[in-house]
Amino acid sequence: MQDLKKNSPFGIYLEHCRKGKLAYQVCADDGKPVFFPRVVAPGGGTNLEWRLSKGLGTVHATTVVHYRNEPPLNVALIDLDEGFRMMSRVEDMDPMQVRIGMRVKVRMHPGDEKQPPYPVFTPLLSEEGSPRSGGGGHPLLSEEGSPRSGGGGHPLLTEEGSPRSGGGGEGAQDHPGPSGHPSLKKEGSYPGPSGHPSLKKEGSYPGASRHPSLGSGANHPGASRHPSLGSGANHPGASRHPSLGSGANHPGASRHPSLGRRGG
Amino acid sequence: MSGLKRGSVAVVGAAESDLGQVAPETTPTDLMAQATARALDDCGLKLSDIDAVLCAHTQSRMSALQLCEYLRIKPRYFDSTQIGGSSFMSHLAHAQAAIEHGVCEVALIAYGSTQRSVSRAAASPREFNPYETPYRPLLPASAYALAASRHMHQYGTTREQLAEVAVAARRWALMNPAAWEKEPLTIEQVLNARMVSFPLTVRDCCLVTDGGGAIIVTSVARAKSLKNKPAHVLGVGEAISHASISNMPDLCVTAAAESGPQAFRMARLKPSDVDMLSLYDAFTITPILFLEDLGFCPKGEGGRFVAGGAIAPGGRLAVNTSGGGLSYCHPGMYGLLVMIEAVRQVRSECGRRQVKNCEIALAHGNGGVLSSQCTVIFGSDATL
């Protein structure tokens, strides 16, 4: 077990962040990933091993915080492919356009004197230059072709097409950043999940309430009503994809295994 | 909680402190003491009858010491379980266990907060979490917004359906003279209000008010000797599932799915027996989740359930008849006021907003970021 007089779980995690790596743990007793880092695993195991994540994940939940006098800020929960979940932020895109199910890749947000480095995420661009989600490609990027970068190839991929490790090392300086990518300037023109055939339409979040032409203004009087919904607040079918039926038997409706038997 | 006996205790006194905005330098303990005096008056007991004190708030760590010092009482049993807004339902379950066991006889459960007067930041400082704080979520709102985003994605719940919860609460509040909000509210107004953490606008979020309350709980035998109709405690249940939203096992299923069945099993009742629901409405998403998890509609159907005024006056199900945390009062930790409305409904004291023939009222408390869930089912004499 970790000697807490030598080092703390967060201290070790931070050392990895400083080297550009997202670290997590695995409990050797049951093989389950563990995050946040700790000295005793959920369930009581004390044989915790540190691992480095490949940094690839999927947006599980997302919100946009409106602090007064600040631009809107994305806060998301990311499910890493290794099987753990963490809070983070998706950058390099309009915070309102972050979608549940979107594939993302980690990079280290650089530290300063007040705040050590911490992992953030950016949309994962495929080898073809389109951001990946549950289905096909991004409609805007596919028109543009591959994204530009400061140097030669795609900043996130080596020439062989395999992802570079980490995000806070040399790769980070090559990445063009949010202002460099031509498609990322088009705030408000992203068609939203209801318009794009490749994106799962299980719900309308956040598309049904946001018409793409209205931009990001939260207080625009018409901002929250998609034109196709008409004026009725109670239109029952407005945000339900026809293929979903009544939703009562949605696989997500079943009980999370960790909650045990109902009433137990 | 298992091993407790249906109807072994009852709430005999219930009272709010002054609510909304109190005078400068009023302390949380002033509010707890005021509510205590009113609750004692309500049931005809004296301060010297109280032998247990259960309380918790956010403005000091040792609230029980402060309240007992203020009133100069020395309880045999005390408890300051602090699990957020649901703490008081947990206090009731713990008081029941202590009373059943003979450790005490008359328990005072109290709360007070001056968060509006001193500012929320001063009343409830955010704790630092190195894995969340750097990302600057606006807690607790952003945690509930993340859950709402998932519910919208998985089940097609809409912002309009969330707004229905706020509009229904406002319609009930307009029938409650003690409610903070006095003006009608429309769905459009909720949607167009200042955005806090998408999809939640300020009208999707509970009020930030001062306030407090107190209830007096005693054995059913002692309750029968007092002047008020008791609100019998038929069932209790409590469950905790996580502390931080990143660690919630399933953003669309709360531990109300455990606390509710515990309470229903103890009460030997089912959801269709309930005449009135008092559901902790910290944010518009929470009644939707609790209606599902407590068994009033299938998982995923909560948004559709509340549409069209279903939980508003004249609707299908009476929910939050006080006007709720969204429109009546929300002093930081709100669970005690959630229970007081349920008690009043069972005692037929709600005037214009009284639910006809209200024999069974369910009070459900939520704490933290959907972290703790505690359910209490109250019943009239006829249900014993």
Side-chain angles (χ1 to χ4, degrees):
Chain A
M1 188 159 48
Q2 171 71 45
D3 178 346
L4 290 172
K5 288 163 77 175
K6 286 211 170 72
N7 225 325
S8 63
F10 179 68
I12 295 173
Y13 169 80
L14 198 55
E15 277 172 34
H16 287 292
C17 286
R18 291 191 199 283
K19 292 185 224 154
K21 310 289 188 201
L22 171 60
Y24 68 106
Q25 293 168 311
V26 169
C27 179
D29 300 344
D30 58 14
K32 289 191 177 146
V34 173
F35 197 87
F36 50 90
R38 49 196 99 178
V39 300
V40 179
T46 54
N47 293 316
L48 284 162
E49 296 168 0
W50 286 93
R51 300 275 165 84
L52 297 181
S53 169
K54 289 193 167 62
L56 298 177
T58 308
V59 174
H60 182 75
T62 180
T63 183
V64 181
V65 186
H66 290 247
Y67 285 108
R68 289 189 202 269
N69 305 315
E70 285 186 37
L73 181 71
N74 175 265
V75 176
L77 297 182
I78 311 294
D79 282 347
L80 278 299
D81 289 353
E82 290 87 2
F84 65 95
R85 177 174 298 163
M86 63 184 293
M87 180 177 282
S88 190
R89 174 169 71 240
V90 179
E91 297 190 342
D92 293 358
M93 62 183 296
D94 178 353
M96 282 295 293
Q97 300 303 332
V98 175
R99 296 279 183 270
I100 291 176
M102 182 178 264
R103 293 286 290 159
V104 292
K105 164 85 183 171
V106 78
R107 75 155 175 247
M108 279 305 145
H109 191 275
D112 56 32
E113 62 281 345
K114 284 184 291 185
Q115 171 77 59
Y118 57 87
V120 294
F121 289 80
T122 58
L124 178 65
L125 304 175
S126 71
E127 287 148 353
E128 295 79 42
S130 310
R132 302 247 293 273
S133 66
H138 190 293
L140 298 172
L141 287 178
S142 58
E143 288 161 20
E144 309 285 343
S146 312
R148 318 299 152 65
S149 67
H154 192 287
L156 293 174
L157 302 174
T158 64
E159 285 164 13
E160 296 76 46
S162 48
R164 287 203 191 127
S165 63
E170 288 157 355
Q173 276 105 50
D174 296 342
H175 190 87
S179 56
H181 196 288
S183 76
L184 292 171
K185 285 185 178 131
K186 296 181 192 172
E187 283 197 359
S189 60
Y190 188 88
S194 54
H196 197 278
S198 74
L199 297 171
K200 281 188 190 163
K201 295 191 228 178
E202 287 185 340
S204 57
Y205 181 79
S209 310
R210 298 276 317 150
H211 192 275
S213 70
L214 291 173
S216 63
N219 294 324
H220 183 96
S224 48
R225 296 287 306 163
H226 193 280
S228 73
L229 294 176
S231 61
N234 301 324
H235 183 84
S239 35
R240 295 281 302 162
H241 193 275
S243 71
L244 287 177
S246 69
N249 297 319
H250 191 282
S254 61
R255 291 181 47 71
H256 192 278
S258 74
L259 289 177
R261 284 178 297 117
R262 192 178 173 87
Chain B
M1 298 288 287
S2 59
L4 296 180
K5 203 161 148 297
R6 180 188 197 274
S8 64
V9 301
V11 171
V12 294
E16 300 146 311
S17 68
D18 289 343
L19 306 176
Q21 175 91 52
V22 296
E25 313 310 329
T26 301
T27 66
T29 321
D30 284 324
L31 295 173
M32 288 199 283
Q34 182 185 54
T36 299
R38 289 175 177 169
L40 286 171
D41 193 54
D42 183 46
C43 62
L45 284 170
K46 301 184 302 299
L47 194 65
S48 55
D49 292 317
I50 293 174
D51 60 359
V53 170
L54 302 92
C55 58
H57 59 230
T58 62
Q59 290 170 264
S60 74
R61 287 187 297 276
M62 304 185 214
S63 56
L65 301 182
Q66 294 179 327
L67 182 58
C68 293
E69 172 186 80
Y70 195 111
L71 297 172
R72 199 167 293 167
I73 50 177
K74 287 179 67 75
R76 293 193 282 156
Y77 179 82
F78 31 88
D79 182 334
S80 285
T81 292
Q82 171 50 288
I83 50 172
S86 64
S87 297
F88 316 97
M89 285 78 170
S90 181
H91 294 165
L92 180 49
H94 299 179
Q96 180 170 25
I99 292 169
E100 276 191 25
H101 207 66
V103 169
C104 60
E105 169 77 352
V106 181
L108 164 68
I109 304 176
Y111 176 68
S113 167
T114 56
Q115 64 158 3
R116 184 179 183 84
S117 292
V118 305
S119 90
R120 209 172 137 68
S124 193
R126 289 293 119 206
E127 291 168 19
F128 179 76
N129 176 338
Y131 305 100
E132 289 199 349
T133 309
Y135 303 106
R136 305 182 61 214
L138 205 170
L139 291 175
S142 291
Y144 290 84
L146 288 167
S149 82
R150 194 68 210 175
H151 205 273
M152 292 165 82
H153 173 82
Q154 264 182 239
Y155 303 116
T157 302
T158 65
R159 287 190 61 206
E160 288 76 9
Q161 288 164 349
L162 293 172
E164 290 263 13
V165 175
V167 168
R170 183 63 59 93
R171 286 177 54 194
W172 285 111
L174 296 183
M175 296 196 285
N176 183 357
W180 176 262
E181 296 284 5
K182 304 292 187 196
E183 299 299 320
L185 180 69
T186 66
I187 290 183
E188 287 300 297
Q189 286 171 323
V190 178
L191 298 177
N192 297 323
R194 177 175 64 85
M195 186 60 67
V196 172
S197 190
F198 191 92
L200 304 177
T201 70
V202 66
R203 294 274 76 85
D204 287 294
C205 303
C206 59
L207 299 169
V208 177
T209 61
D210 298 329
I215 59 175
I216 315 273
V217 191
T218 190
S219 63
V220 60
R222 187 72 178 270
K224 286 184 168 136
S225 71
L226 299 173
K227 58 173 170 162
N228 267 342
K229 283 184 288 189
H232 299 282
V233 178
L234 302 179
V236 297
E238 49 181 5
I240 58 178
S241 58
H242 57 281
S244 55
I245 196 64
S246 316
N247 290 281
M248 184 170 185
D250 182 335
L251 289 180
C252 290
V253 181
T254 74
E258 297 166 69
S259 68
Q262 287 172 25
F264 278 116
R265 189 168 47 250
M266 179 175 155
R268 298 195 289 275
L269 293 171
K270 48 195 188 308
S272 58
D273 296 319
V274 177
D275 300 307
M276 176 268 176
L277 280 79
S278 202
L279 302 178
Y280 199 113
D281 51 342
F283 300 90
T284 47
I285 184 64
T286 64
I288 286 175
L289 287 169
F290 302 147
L291 285 166
E292 295 174 354
D293 294 335
L294 295 171
F296 289 89
C297 66
K299 175 48 68 184
E301 293 299 304
R304 283 170 283 282
F305 186 92
V306 301
I311 59 171
R316 199 178 347 161
L317 192 57
V319 176
N320 295 343
T321 56
S322 61
L326 290 166
S327 281
Y328 144 69
C329 185
H330 193 287
M333 291 167 69
Y334 169 57
L336 195 45
L337 297 179
V338 171
M339 285 197 289
I340 288 174
E341 183 69 1
V343 163
R344 287 180 167 161
Q345 282 286 356
V346 158
R347 300 197 309 190
S348 297
E349 295 171 353
C350 290
R352 272 186 73 198
R353 64 190 198 276
Q354 179 64 45
V355 173
K356 299 276 177 293
N357 306 315
C358 186
E359 308 282 2
I360 292 171
L362 182 150
H364 181 78
N366 163 78
V369 291
L370 296 169
S371 315
S372 64
Q373 305 296 338
C374 303
T375 312
V376 179
I377 300 176
F378 295 105
S380 63
D381 280 335
T383 63
L384 259 194

